[in-house]
Amino acid sequence: MQVPHVKGERREDDKVKAAQAHRLLHVAVCFCSGAHMHVQEADGTLGSAGVVSSPGLVTVGDGHWHGGLRTRRNQKKYSELMDDFLRLTKTTVFLEFWKRRRSILTYTWDLIEWEEEEETLRPQFEAKYYKMEIVNPITGKPEPHQPSSDKITRLLVSVSGIFFMISLVITAVFAVVVYRLVVMEQFASFKWNFIKQHWQFATSAAAVCINFVIIMLLNLAYEKIAYLLTNLEYPRTESEWENSFALKMFLFQFVNLNSSIFYIAFFLGRFVGHPGKYNKLFDRWRLEECHPSGCLIDLCLQMGVIMFLKQIWNNFMELGYPLIQNWWSRHKIKRGVQDASIPQWENDWNLQPMNIHGLMDEYLEMVLQFGFTTIFVAAFPLAPLLALLNNIIEIRLDAYKFVTQWRRPLPARATDIGIWLGILEGIGILAVITNAFVIAITSDYIPRFVYEYKYGPCANRVEQNENCLKGYVNNSLSFFNLSELSIGKSGYCRYRDYRGPPWSSKPYEFTLQYWHILAARLAFIIVFEHLVFGIKSFIAYLIPDVPKGLHERIRREKYLVQEMMYEAELEHLQQQRRKSGQPVHHEWP
């Protein structure tokens, strides 16, 4: 915790020894002087209160800000909520316009009426189940068949493997949480004054970097595990194999990338307890709280670092790694050949072959990026801009890679992007739910809203021109009696929570305002989700999947084909009538 600076007193924390750091962490949130200080409200007024050491709420004495709770006008608050609302509806607009673009491409490449031929069975499937055959209802020929019991058993084993890997990711996140709690004590008593003053930021930054390294290390194992689990299922055709493999890779990497973000958004600082009764991990380390300016700062830092570093790493692996491999291949060839002039076809053959999974890695990267730019867009509005800049650069890098660093890939016909469209639509649904929880739970929007209309100066709606958030900071702080800590201090300190004061009939119990805020949060989540889902469905209804002009063109072509078939059949019938000596009709009889 940051202990506010008090005028006329020297900061004792600069003289604290490392051996006392653990004890100070338990009392820092309530460390204060018995003298009364002036606490500056968010509206700029001054009121008499005890020194506050809970993070991110008030200013004392010198009038400097120690948090992000500044007054916002109603128009600004509602405009920010509307911005989040519009960002979520843009996902539906994006997907709907992609469907329109897909229909245009399908028509351009003459794939409207193309239906993929009956796929051949995978050799692994035939070798496994050649003894069990059934008649294919389409071809009418016997072919190997996988019994339902065997299929369900293998599917359950595969799902168990997926949950095991997800639990491994959660374990890694828990290990990072323990690291944050341990390092928090070390940074609070660090000899370097800069780290000591900004120990919360240093802890978060170090944890983010370590978490990114863990993510990259786990990603190396995910592809092999997904490959093993998919082969264990023995899919019948190649398309089934690709869909199953793509879904596993997405689930693994999505959970790997977003598990720490979900922890910060919805769990960090939620179960710390209150002064005198803090919750501790293993009865030793007190649970971590959010940054003084709010949990959104920690969430934004986590997303920004992971997204930025991951984009750099992906671009290096896509272009830098093939460049190094090709350079080494050319170097080995020139060492073994006396004549340095090598035919162009041989140089092309020495390029790196395309990934055996085709464009799956490209799809996976874009889908994960789509999740980053939509799921927590309310906490990190800069994500779409970073994604746009990355994609502009990556378009040219991919073009250079396909032309100069990879062998020419084999083309294949396809009418859509397969299972990835369903995954994108699922991310759009998840984005609505997570952003509703971020706005309602992680941010301070709902507490301010409840105070403004229920407990603030504007609750009775008599004074229309008064600042409705006047006194909000003071209202959001609870009292704690320092004498209960038995540390030789007297008086009261303030901490951020909605609990009864020590002199109430139920000290340190949740107040009625806390339950009002909780009910408002739940109501907001329900209303926000239903409203966004309704508008998304309405937008999807308004935007047809096929443009009107293209739809009319397709109908026109079908009509011309029917006319040609009609003319050909009529000509054939007339020829038969002439041969048999019957009268010829120019129309159908």
Side-chain angles (χ1 to χ4, degrees):
M1 296 296 172
Q2 290 182 346
V3 180
H5 176 62
V6 181
K7 281 187 175 181
E9 295 183 1
R10 298 181 61 183
R11 297 188 59 176
E12 297 295 334
D13 55 347
D14 291 334
K15 298 182 180 181
V16 174
K17 298 180 181 180
Q20 299 173 328
H22 181 72
R23 181 170 178 267
L24 283 178
L25 282 173
H26 291 279
V27 299
V29 78
C30 290
F31 181 79
C32 58
S33 168
H36 288 276
M37 302 298 297
H38 289 290
V39 179
Q40 185 173 357
E41 285 286 346
D43 56 5
T45 61
L46 294 175
S48 177
V51 176
V52 180
S53 58
S54 185
L57 295 176
V58 297
T59 60
V60 295
D62 54 1
H64 292 91
W65 286 104
H66 286 273
L69 295 177
R70 291 191 176 95
T71 302
R72 296 181 181 180
R73 299 295 182 184
N74 292 339
Q75 295 83 356
K76 185 176 181 180
K77 292 192 302 182
Y78 297 143
S79 65
E80 290 177 351
L81 184 62
M82 184 59 64
D83 289 341
D84 297 332
F85 182 81
L86 293 176
R87 292 189 192 103
L88 293 175
T89 56
K90 287 178 183 178
T91 61
T92 301
V93 175
F94 167 75
L95 293 177
E96 292 301 319
F97 274 95
W98 158 247
K99 293 177 183 178
R100 293 168 63 88
R101 175 63 177 168
R102 179 192 63 184
S103 63
I104 295 175
L105 293 175
T106 304
Y107 176 81
T108 304
W109 289 93
D110 195 20
L111 296 174
I112 293 293
E113 299 294 337
W114 179 76
E115 293 183 3
E116 195 169 357
E117 299 178 359
E118 181 68 17
E119 290 189 85
T120 58
L121 301 179
R122 298 181 72 239
Q124 296 86 343
F125 183 86
E126 288 184 308
K128 180 68 176 178
Y129 300 103
Y130 71 95
K131 295 182 178 180
M132 293 166 283
E133 292 184 346
I134 62 171
V135 178
N136 190 319
I138 299 176
T139 61
K141 298 179 180 179
E143 64 178 26
H145 171 68
Q146 183 181 16
S148 300
S149 59
D150 182 77
K151 185 174 183 178
I152 293 176
T153 302
R154 293 181 178 277
L155 186 61
L156 290 177
V157 173
S158 179
V159 172
S160 301
I162 294 175
F163 278 106
F164 173 77
M165 293 305 301
I166 292 176
S167 63
L168 183 62
V169 174
I170 297 175
T171 303
V173 173
F174 179 75
V176 174
V177 171
V178 175
Y179 162 82
R180 293 170 70 116
L181 298 180
V182 174
V183 173
M184 184 171 57
E185 294 184 2
Q186 304 299 324
F187 283 163
S189 58
F190 210 70
K191 293 183 179 180
W192 189 12
N193 195 37
F194 177 80
I195 297 294
K196 192 173 183 178
Q197 291 180 357
H198 303 85
W199 59 270
Q200 278 191 315
F201 177 80
T203 302
S204 299
V208 169
C209 295
I210 293 177
N211 186 65
F212 176 77
V213 174
I214 294 176
I215 289 173
M216 292 296 103
L217 292 177
L218 290 177
N219 280 342
L220 297 177
Y222 284 156
E223 183 173 353
K224 296 181 180 179
I225 295 174
Y227 191 85
L228 177 64
L229 293 177
T230 305
N231 287 334
L232 184 64
E233 297 175 5
Y234 282 98
R236 179 174 174 272
T237 60
E238 285 295 333
S239 62
E240 293 180 4
W241 189 95
E242 291 176 359
N243 290 338
S244 178
F245 181 75
L247 182 60
K248 290 180 179 62
M249 286 294 295
F250 168 75
L251 289 177
F252 286 158
Q253 296 209 18
F254 180 81
V255 174
N256 191 24
L257 284 174
N258 294 279
S259 56
S260 59
I261 298 176
F262 272 89
Y263 163 74
I264 293 176
F266 304 123
F267 298 100
L268 180 62
R270 305 295 171 191
F271 311 101
V272 295
H274 61 85
K277 192 179 179 181
Y278 283 114
N279 298 322
K280 299 179 182 180
L281 185 65
F282 304 133
D283 293 328
R284 179 177 179 182
W285 296 296
R286 209 187 85 190
L287 297 181
E288 186 184 6
E289 297 185 51
C290 296
H291 191 271
S293 52
C295 292
L296 288 180
I297 297 298
D298 296 89
L299 183 60
C300 183
L301 176 65
Q302 181 85 7
M303 292 188 61
V305 172
I306 291 180
M307 186 174 185
F308 179 74
L309 294 180
K310 191 173 186 303
Q311 288 178 349
I312 293 178
W313 176 260
N314 287 340
N315 290 332
F316 169 76
M317 292 301 296
E318 289 185 4
L319 183 61
Y321 187 65
L323 277 172
I324 297 174
Q325 286 184 316
N326 289 331
W327 172 83
W328 181 248
S329 299
R330 290 192 300 268
H331 180 69
K332 290 192 300 183
I333 293 174
K334 290 181 179 179
R335 284 194 307 176
V337 179
Q338 297 294 336
D339 187 6
S341 60
I342 301 175
Q344 182 62 39
W345 63 267
E346 190 170 345
N347 286 328
D348 293 341
W349 173 254
N350 292 325
L351 295 177
Q352 295 300 310
M354 190 176 178
N355 194 315
I356 59 175
H357 305 305
L359 296 176
M360 199 211 69
D361 289 340
E362 304 290 338
Y363 279 121
L364 181 62
E365 180 184 356
M366 291 294 102
V367 169
L368 293 176
Q369 185 189 89
F370 181 77
F372 256 92
T373 57
T374 55
I375 293 179
F376 289 102
V377 67
F380 190 45
L382 193 62
L385 177 61
L386 293 179
L388 175 63
L389 296 177
N390 173 78
N391 292 341
I392 292 175
I393 297 173
E394 191 167 352
I395 287 174
R396 306 316 310 162
L397 293 180
D398 284 345
Y400 179 79
K401 175 184 66 178
F402 276 99
V403 173
T404 64
Q405 302 303 315
W406 277 8
R407 299 175 190 170
R408 181 180 297 177
L410 297 176
R413 294 191 297 178
T415 57
D416 52 29
I417 59 177
I419 196 174
W420 297 108
L421 181 60
I423 293 176
L424 289 174
E425 292 177 342
I427 290 177
I429 296 174
L430 181 62
V432 176
I433 299 174
T434 54
N435 281 279
F437 276 88
V438 167
I439 297 173
I441 296 177
T442 309
S443 70
D444 291 325
Y445 179 81
I446 299 300
R448 288 180 303 182
F449 183 85
V450 172
Y451 176 81
E452 183 176 352
Y453 293 100
K454 180 66 177 178
Y455 297 94
C458 301
N460 52 10
R461 291 293 179 182
V462 176
E463 301 178 6
Q464 298 292 336
N465 297 326
E466 189 173 353
N467 183 3
C468 294
L469 287 178
K470 181 179 180 180
Y472 167 73
V473 170
N474 187 57
N475 176 264
S476 64
L477 302 177
S478 300
F479 285 89
F480 180 75
N481 190 355
L482 287 174
S483 60
E484 298 182 15
L485 293 178
S486 301
I487 58 174
K489 297 289 183 179
S490 61
Y492 298 99
C493 77
R494 310 289 299 277
Y495 62 97
R496 186 177 185 179
D497 208 343
Y498 294 95
R499 295 180 180 271
W503 57 82
S504 64
S505 59
K506 296 181 179 180
Y508 308 124
E509 295 291 333
F510 288 120
T511 61
L512 182 61
Q513 186 175 356
Y514 169 83
W515 300 109
H516 284 167
I517 293 175
L518 180 61
R521 282 172 168 167
L522 297 177
F524 174 84
I525 291 172
I526 296 174
V527 173
F528 184 84
E529 287 180 356
H530 284 72
L531 183 61
V532 175
F533 281 137
I535 294 183
K536 284 167 67 72
S537 301
F538 182 68
I539 292 175
Y541 172 78
L542 290 181
I543 303 177
D545 295 344
V546 181
K548 182 179 180 181
L550 178 60
H551 182 67
E552 294 177 351
R553 211 177 314 163
I554 294 174
R555 292 184 60 187
R556 173 65 178 170
E557 291 182 359
K558 288 183 178 181
Y559 171 77
L560 293 178
V561 170
Q562 291 177 354
E563 286 292 316
M564 293 174 60
M565 294 176 62
Y566 167 78
E567 295 293 339
E569 187 66 23
L570 180 60
E571 181 67 23
H572 177 69
L573 181 60
Q574 289 176 348
Q575 291 178 358
Q576 289 182 342
R577 286 179 174 272
R578 291 191 186 98
K579 291 180 181 180
S580 60
Q582 297 179 0
V584 177
H585 298 281
H586 295 287
E587 295 182 359
W588 288 102

